[in-house]
Amino acid sequence: MRLHRLDITAFGPFGSTQSVDFDALSGAGLFLLHGPTGAGKTSVLDAVCYALYGSVPGARQSGQGMHLRSDHAPPGTRTEVRLELTVAGRRLEITRQPPWERRKLRGKGMTVDKAQTWLREYDARAGSWKDLSRSHQEIGAEVEQLLGMSREQFCQVVLLPQGDFARFLRADAEARGKLLGRLFDTQRFADVEKRLAERRRATEARVREGDTALLADAHRMQQEAGDAMELPEPDPGDPGLAEAVLEAAAVARSTARERLDIAHCRLAAAESAHAAARHALDEARDLARLQSRFAAARERAERLTERAGAHREDQKRMERARKAESVAAALELREAADREHREATQAEARARGALSELSGGADGSGGAEAHRDGHGDADVPGGVDAYGGADASGLAAAARRAAEELGGLDAARRAERRLAELAEERAGLDRQERADEDVLREADAWLDGWDATRAALQSRLDSAQEAATRAEQLAVQREPMRRRLDAARTRDRLAAGLAQARQRAEESRRRALDARAHWLDLKEQRLTGIAAELAAHLADGEPCAVCGATEHPAPARKAAGHVDRETEDRALTAFQRAEELHTEDERRLGEVREALAAATAEAGDTPTAGLAAEADHLEREYARARHDASALHAVQQELRRAEQEREQRLADHQQAAVRAASRLTRRETLEREQALLEAEVEQARGGLGSVAARAAQLERLAARLTEAADAVRAAEDAAQRLKAADARLADAAYRAGFDTPAAAAAALLDPAAHRELQHRLDAWQQEEAAVRAVLAEPGTTAAAQLPPADPAGAERAAAAAERRLREAGSARDAAARCCAELDRLSARAAEAVRRLAPLRAEHDRVARLAALTAGTSADNERRMRLESYVLAARLEQVAAAATVRLQRMSSGRYTLVHSDDRTGRGRSGLGLHVVDAWTGRERDTATLSGGETFFASLALALGLADVVTEEAGGVRLDTLFIDEGFGSLDDQTLDEVLDVLDGLRERDRSVGIVSHVADLRRRIHAQLEVVKGRSGSSLRQRGV
């Protein structure tokens, strides 16, 4: 990746448009970005990051959205960042405009324009730029794919924030793990650990579930077997559970089979006793039945003797009834003829009475009108009164004349119905006219107020939209404000603890100096008396260790208060311990200072109470804006419904006008047709109210004349049939032997009496035959001679035998069911054990693997998690890459090494130590001085950049930035660091140093200067 050009407008401290020609700066290989504090050096790097990823580095994300806009920019100038770069062989141009608040083009107030993004690519063949996309998501995905790294990785690899790596250098294993996991994306290894843990829990649950089901079957077997089975002791999940359950089941099944054999024997004995008792019961019941049958037959014979006289009377009555049956047919014919004659006579009287009612004018006004006109019944054919004594033929002829006149009224009736239809249609037209007038009146009234209604709804819609926009803006500000408030609280807490940490460091420094002075004093005293210490080891004849002489005439003697080596070593140990405590206190003081500086940088100098008040105000404003914006959807729906109603009102108004014109034409047509039909109907009514009334009058007359004619004919026929029936009845009674037809009718029985009499005769005969048959049975007669039977005693004996049989059968069935259930449950338990075997094996395998990856297994000697193992390998690569540059910066003194020693809870961590070649000892990176920490963290950052770049697919990074930290270096170390950075220019790479150190301005000629002014900052390039 190589940067070519950066254009900034109204961004950060830059109020106007500023440009950076990276091609010119990169020509020197090493360039300096400098300026006074607060001028905007970091804002240039923020602009590069914002152009690529649409957001600034993590520590400065509170400046997103509209807060990226420069306070020095003119109101009409929009914030914009444009970056031209080459990546993966493609020359691209990215333009981003964050959302910004401007005045409305119409009306008062402010509105917010949405963020805009453009991506273009330079076509070398065409020599022009072509547009690729305007989508934020598409452009972000394209840039991240081309660079091969996320925003966090880019900020660590390209912008090299030294403060972060100084903290990384001194951090504990957990903090290092978080940063490395974020850069190298080891989440997949953590997911593997999580997946294995989930599988371990799942397989364990399945094993425990299977063991629980197995124990449940064992409990059911115990319920069936009773005291013949003892349940195993192991809990679900224990390896020996399956064998214990199967062994107990085998014992229970054997005991159950023994009990079944005993139950079979007892059942066989009970069945024999029950059969004998049933046979005795059957014999007792048969004897009792025969004795009872004989006694009942004797009683029935006595009752027959008592009813013999009544039986002879019934026989005589039945004989007379059979003679009278020959006269029954003639009697029925005579009764039917008499009934028909009476009914026909009554019908004739009713028919002639109906004709009389018509003659009296009761059926309508037509007859009365005819009498008043002096024509009698002229309107009724033949006159009604003329038929009072007429025969059947005269009445039928009059009915035909009335029907002929009725047939001539069909056309008049159709005309009258059409008149009614015309009247209804005219009434419908009147209703439509009134309805259309109402529609026109309502539509006009509603449309008159449309403009005011639309204006009010539009005003409410604009207010809701403004509130929604305001809510979006405030939502962007809430999280940064919360972070600032948290940082301010942290800042206050750390500021309170800074003095205490400083005091502890000063006291430990003073104690270390005192211990050092005490050790030096003892060392000097020992050196002064070293001769006496050496003389103590002299022996005659042995050479002196100092002069080599074998004679020792005057060896030195120890003076009072002599200091020996042990005393000196104790003083040295005390000094080293004090020095270590001082180093630890200094490290803690540095951590507090760094944390305080980070919190101050995040929160600024604003008091915590002020930030809390701002945060509360922001939350209230956000809640108010969201409340006002919640009405947006309802207002939009209301406006849409109002516009739809307006369109409907206009359509209804137009349709009502069209219907009014068509009604006028139709009304004229109906009036002409109505006049013609009224003349025709008036002629056909014959003085009545309607043609229908005239037709009804004729229909009634024709019907009654027809009814009268039919009734007269029926009465004449009935009289003839009655006369013939009287003659046939008298002849039949004489032949049957009765004096009169009345005597024959009296002897005749109705069907019910005949059936009752015949039933009594038949019952007498059947009873008499049955009694004779019973008394003639030899078995019954013999049983009557025996003593009375005792069926109750036999039943009690049989019931007892049956009870004993049921008990034996129940015991046998229970034993059989127990055996069958135990067999079924045992087979089920065996099958469950077979199914559990692979599940238990899988659980053991998954559990071992999960424990191994989680670092809790005994096989994992270093107790290192899988993700930590991968990160340790990456950290080892980073340390090796950083050492190459660290040795050059430190003149070969320091080497970074990875340590996997166990830390915290006995697990291996992500340790990072430095090896000092001067002492040959390995020590913690926290013991490095300020300058040493800087170039060590710089080497670590460059090494991490190399490893992450390789991890991201080897994307070439031709432009790097290093942010601050050079002020802590001496001249020699600064030269060595610059030599290392100058080496990064190999193969056409360029490095930008962000610093305000004055000495760098003399050493680096290519410079980008940020100039701070009252109207905003500006950029100047020098030495290019």
Side-chain angles (χ1 to χ4, degrees):
M1 179 200 72
R2 175 175 290 278
L3 305 182
H4 297 294
R5 184 178 180 86
L6 175 66
D7 295 322
I8 306 172
T9 302
F11 183 88
F14 305 104
S16 59
T17 301
Q18 304 293 322
S19 299
V20 180
D21 188 353
F22 284 109
D23 285 336
L25 292 172
S26 300
L30 193 64
F31 63 90
L32 176 66
L33 174 59
H34 69 94
T37 301
K41 301 186 295 296
T42 306
S43 296
V44 176
L45 306 184
D46 289 347
V48 173
C49 184
Y50 181 73
L52 291 173
Y53 293 96
S55 61
V56 297
R60 298 181 289 278
Q61 286 191 46
S62 59
Q64 293 287 33
M66 292 179 291
H67 291 277
L68 294 175
R69 179 173 175 79
S70 175
D71 295 333
H72 302 284
T77 302
R78 180 160 188 177
T79 303
E80 180 180 276
V81 176
R82 180 182 291 110
L83 178 64
E84 185 179 337
L85 74 158
T86 296
V87 59
R90 300 169 61 186
R91 186 153 183 159
L92 304 175
E93 181 188 80
I94 306 172
T95 303
R96 291 189 186 271
Q97 293 179 348
W100 75 305
E101 190 176 41
R102 60 169 177 83
R103 293 188 179 277
K104 293 182 178 179
L105 300 178
R106 292 180 295 179
K108 298 181 180 181
M110 304 296 289
T111 187
V112 176
D113 284 348
K114 295 182 180 179
Q116 301 288 331
T117 305
W118 295 270
L119 177 62
R120 300 196 303 169
E121 182 176 5
Y122 184 74
D123 189 348
R125 295 181 180 179
S128 61
W129 293 90
K130 62 178 181 180
D131 294 332
L132 295 182
S133 178
R134 293 175 62 92
S135 169
H136 301 295
Q137 290 77 12
E138 289 181 0
I139 295 173
E142 182 73 13
V143 170
E144 188 164 339
Q145 180 181 3
L146 291 174
L147 291 177
M149 60 185 74
S150 64
R151 180 180 61 82
E152 289 79 6
Q153 291 175 317
F154 177 83
C155 294
Q156 293 287 348
V157 173
V158 179
L159 302 185
L160 299 184
Q162 294 306 299
D164 289 350
F165 278 95
R167 285 191 291 273
F168 177 80
L169 194 65
R170 297 175 176 175
D172 56 13
E174 183 178 359
R176 289 196 185 107
K178 290 181 180 179
L179 175 62
L180 294 174
R182 201 165 57 245
L183 292 178
F184 292 107
D185 190 18
T186 57
Q187 182 61 38
R188 60 187 182 276
F189 299 102
D191 293 341
V192 169
E193 298 177 24
K194 181 179 179 182
R195 176 58 179 164
L196 286 173
E198 291 175 352
R199 285 194 59 191
R200 177 183 59 78
R201 289 191 294 270
T203 55
E204 182 181 7
R206 289 199 294 270
V207 169
R208 292 184 67 86
E209 182 180 353
D211 286 348
T212 301
L214 185 61
L215 275 178
D217 288 340
H219 280 288
R220 284 193 287 272
M221 283 190 282
Q222 186 186 39
Q223 292 174 358
E224 290 292 337
D227 55 359
M229 178 178 179
E230 294 183 1
L231 284 180
E233 293 295 334
D235 294 327
D238 291 345
L241 176 64
E243 295 180 359
V245 170
L246 293 180
E247 182 178 352
V251 173
R253 290 171 60 196
S254 176
T255 304
R257 289 193 184 94
E258 294 176 358
R259 292 177 177 177
L260 179 61
D261 294 339
I262 295 173
H264 273 298
C265 295
R266 291 176 178 174
L267 179 60
E271 287 176 347
S272 298
H274 178 262
R278 291 298 301 179
H279 180 70
L281 176 62
D282 292 341
E283 289 181 350
R285 285 176 177 172
D286 289 342
L287 179 59
R289 179 179 58 79
L290 292 174
Q291 290 176 347
S292 176
R293 180 181 177 82
F294 182 81
R298 293 292 297 271
E299 292 178 0
R300 289 163 63 188
E302 293 175 358
R303 286 197 295 270
L304 287 175
T305 303
E306 294 174 356
R307 298 201 308 269
H311 174 64
R312 287 191 292 273
E313 291 295 329
D314 288 339
Q315 287 178 332
K316 292 178 181 179
R317 186 180 176 190
M318 178 60 71
E319 185 178 357
R320 286 179 57 82
R322 288 195 181 99
K323 292 179 180 180
E325 285 178 357
S326 61
V327 188
L331 282 172
E332 292 177 357
L333 288 175
R334 199 274 172 190
E335 291 176 356
D338 182 61
R339 185 170 56 255
E340 290 177 359
H341 180 262
R342 289 195 304 272
E343 292 174 354
T345 303
Q346 293 172 358
E348 180 184 2
R350 287 195 298 272
R352 293 186 182 275
L355 287 176
S356 300
E357 291 176 0
L358 282 177
S359 65
D363 283 334
S365 60
E369 292 291 338
H371 284 294
R372 284 195 298 270
D373 291 341
H375 300 292
D377 288 331
D379 291 337
V380 179
V384 177
D385 291 339
Y387 305 123
D391 57 5
S393 60
L395 293 172
R400 286 193 296 273
R401 290 194 300 271
E404 290 173 357
E405 184 178 355
L406 178 62
L409 294 178
D410 290 341
R413 281 189 288 191
R414 288 194 297 272
E416 189 174 43
R417 286 195 299 270
R418 178 58 182 162
L419 280 175
E421 293 173 357
L422 292 177
E424 180 62 27
E425 187 173 357
R426 291 188 63 183
L429 292 176
D430 294 338
R431 288 192 298 271
Q432 290 180 3
E433 183 175 6
R434 289 192 297 273
D436 287 342
E437 289 175 355
D438 293 340
V439 169
L440 291 172
R441 185 168 54 257
E442 291 179 2
D444 292 337
W446 193 92
L447 292 172
D448 289 342
W450 164 245
D451 293 335
T453 302
R454 187 180 186 282
L457 290 175
Q458 188 63 44
S459 176
R460 289 170 57 194
L461 180 62
D462 294 341
S463 299
Q465 287 175 340
E466 291 176 4
T469 303
R470 178 63 176 164
E472 293 178 0
Q473 299 169 0
L474 294 174
V476 174
Q477 303 174 24
R478 292 173 67 215
E479 186 60 28
M481 177 57 71
R482 291 197 191 102
R483 290 199 299 270
R484 285 192 65 195
L485 181 57
D486 294 340
R489 290 168 177 162
T490 304
R491 176 198 64 195
D492 296 344
R493 177 172 48 79
L494 292 175
L498 180 61
Q500 185 178 1
R502 187 183 294 113
Q503 181 180 357
R504 284 197 303 268
E506 182 62 28
E507 291 176 356
S508 63
R509 185 184 68 81
R510 187 164 53 251
R511 286 193 296 269
L513 290 175
D514 294 341
R516 185 175 184 276
H518 178 64
W519 168 62
L520 292 177
D521 289 343
L522 293 178
K523 184 176 184 180
E524 184 177 358
Q525 293 177 23
R526 179 170 176 265
L527 291 175
T528 303
I530 193 67
E533 186 174 338
L534 293 174
H537 299 284
L538 294 177
D540 292 337
E542 294 182 0
C544 175
V546 178
C547 64
T550 57
E551 296 181 358
H552 316 293
R557 303 298 180 186
K558 292 184 180 180
H562 176 75
V563 177
D564 56 9
R565 184 179 186 85
E566 183 179 356
T567 304
E568 181 188 355
D569 289 343
R570 285 198 302 269
L572 176 60
T573 301
F575 162 63
Q576 291 175 343
R577 186 165 55 253
E579 184 67 22
E580 290 175 356
L581 292 175
H582 172 60
T583 302
E584 179 65 21
D585 290 339
E586 286 290 343
R587 184 185 65 80
R588 291 175 181 172
L589 178 60
E591 290 178 352
V592 173
R593 284 174 175 166
E594 288 179 3
L596 179 59
T600 304
E602 180 76 19
D605 298 330
T606 306
T608 304
L611 288 176
E614 291 180 14
D616 291 341
H617 176 71
L618 180 62
E619 290 295 332
R620 290 194 299 273
E621 289 295 322
Y622 175 69
R624 186 181 302 110
R626 285 199 61 183
H627 178 268
D628 295 341
S630 62
L632 177 60
H633 179 71
V635 174
Q636 289 175 340
Q637 293 293 331
E638 189 174 353
L639 178 58
R640 189 177 298 110
R641 288 195 297 269
E643 290 175 346
Q644 293 174 353
E645 185 174 0
R646 176 177 175 271
E647 296 297 329
Q648 185 62 40
R649 296 276 186 175
L650 290 173
D652 292 344
H653 190 283
Q654 183 178 4
Q655 292 174 3
V658 171
R659 288 195 298 270
S662 63
R663 274 196 306 272
L664 182 61
T665 303
R666 181 58 179 167
R667 196 185 298 275
E668 294 175 354
T669 302
L670 293 177
E671 288 176 352
R672 289 194 297 270
E673 184 179 0
Q674 184 177 10
L676 294 175
L677 292 175
E678 285 178 348
E680 179 182 352
V681 170
E682 184 65 26
Q683 181 179 2
R685 284 175 180 169
L688 296 180
S690 64
V691 175
R694 177 62 176 169
Q697 183 188 52
L698 292 175
E699 287 176 356
R700 286 193 298 271
L701 178 61
R704 291 181 180 178
L705 287 172
T706 302
E707 291 174 359
D710 293 340
V712 170
R713 282 194 294 268
E716 292 174 353
D717 294 341
Q720 292 296 327
R721 287 194 295 274
L722 177 59
K723 185 177 181 179
D726 286 338
R728 284 195 298 272
L729 177 59
D731 183 62
Y734 176 76
R735 286 197 300 271
F738 293 98
D739 297 336
T740 62
L748 189 64
L749 297 175
D750 57 31
H754 185 276
R755 285 194 301 272
E756 182 181 359
L757 181 59
Q758 186 64 47
H759 176 70
R760 288 200 301 270
L761 294 174
D762 294 341
W764 172 274
Q765 292 177 356
Q766 293 173 359
E767 180 71 7
E768 185 180 23
V771 169
R772 283 198 302 270
V774 172
L775 294 178
E777 292 175 355
T780 302
T781 304
Q785 305 303 320
L786 296 176
D790 186 13
E795 286 181 357
R796 287 192 296 271
E802 185 176 4
R803 183 173 62 255
R804 288 190 294 272
L805 177 62
R806 284 198 304 270
E807 292 173 353
S810 297
R812 193 278 314 269
D813 294 341
R817 284 196 304 272
C818 180
C819 286
E821 185 67 11
L822 287 176
D823 291 341
R824 184 183 69 82
L825 292 174
S826 297
R828 178 169 160 179
E831 178 63 24
V833 170
R834 285 193 293 273
R835 289 197 307 269
L836 274 174
L839 289 178
R840 194 180 300 279
E842 180 186 5
H843 168 64
D844 294 340
R845 182 174 61 257
V846 172
R848 288 196 301 272
L849 188 57
L852 185 65
T853 57
T856 59
S857 172
D859 297 332
N860 191 333
E861 297 178 357
R862 297 186 179 277
R863 302 193 65 189
M864 185 179 292
R865 294 173 49 241
L866 178 61
E867 184 181 14
S868 299
Y869 177 79
V870 175
L871 292 177
R874 291 290 185 266
L875 183 59
E876 190 172 1
Q877 294 175 348
V878 171
T883 296
V884 176
R885 297 185 176 89
L886 179 59
Q887 287 183 340
R888 291 185 58 188
M889 294 180 186
S890 63
S891 300
R893 179 178 179 182
Y894 293 119
T895 301
L896 280 175
V897 294
H898 162 252
S899 173
D900 55 7
D901 292 339
R902 294 184 180 181
T903 60
R905 295 183 297 176
R907 296 198 180 192
S908 298
L910 298 173
L912 193 63
H913 293 168
V914 61
V915 178
D916 191 344
W918 290 3
T919 63
R921 296 179 60 186
E922 181 179 315
R923 54 193 175 97
D924 195 277
T925 54
T927 62
L928 295 174
S929 64
E932 292 171 341
T933 298
F934 166 71
F935 62 69
S937 63
L938 176 60
L940 186 64
L942 294 174
L944 183 62
D946 291 342
V947 176
V948 172
T949 300
E950 182 180 357
E951 179 75 12
V955 177
R956 179 178 173 82
L957 301 177
D958 296 320
T959 306
L960 298 175
F961 293 93
I962 302 174
D963 191 0
E964 287 299 346
F966 292 87
S968 61
L969 303 179
D970 55 40
D971 292 342
Q972 180 181 354
T973 306
L974 181 60
D975 288 338
E976 293 172 348
V977 170
L978 292 178
D979 288 342
V980 172
L981 296 179
D982 191 58
L984 296 176
R985 296 185 300 169
E986 299 174 359
R987 292 180 296 174
D988 199 23
R989 296 177 74 182
S990 61
V991 179
I993 297 176
V994 182
S995 178
H996 53 70
V997 177
D999 191 41
L1000 290 175
R1001 301 177 198 171
R1002 297 189 300 271
R1003 297 171 182 260
I1004 302 176
H1005 299 291
Q1007 300 178 8
L1008 176 62
E1009 181 181 7
V1010 184
V1011 182
K1012 181 168 61 174
R1014 296 180 62 86
S1015 61
S1017 299
S1018 60
L1019 298 174
R1020 290 188 298 194
Q1021 294 187 202
R1022 300 177 183 273
V1024 295

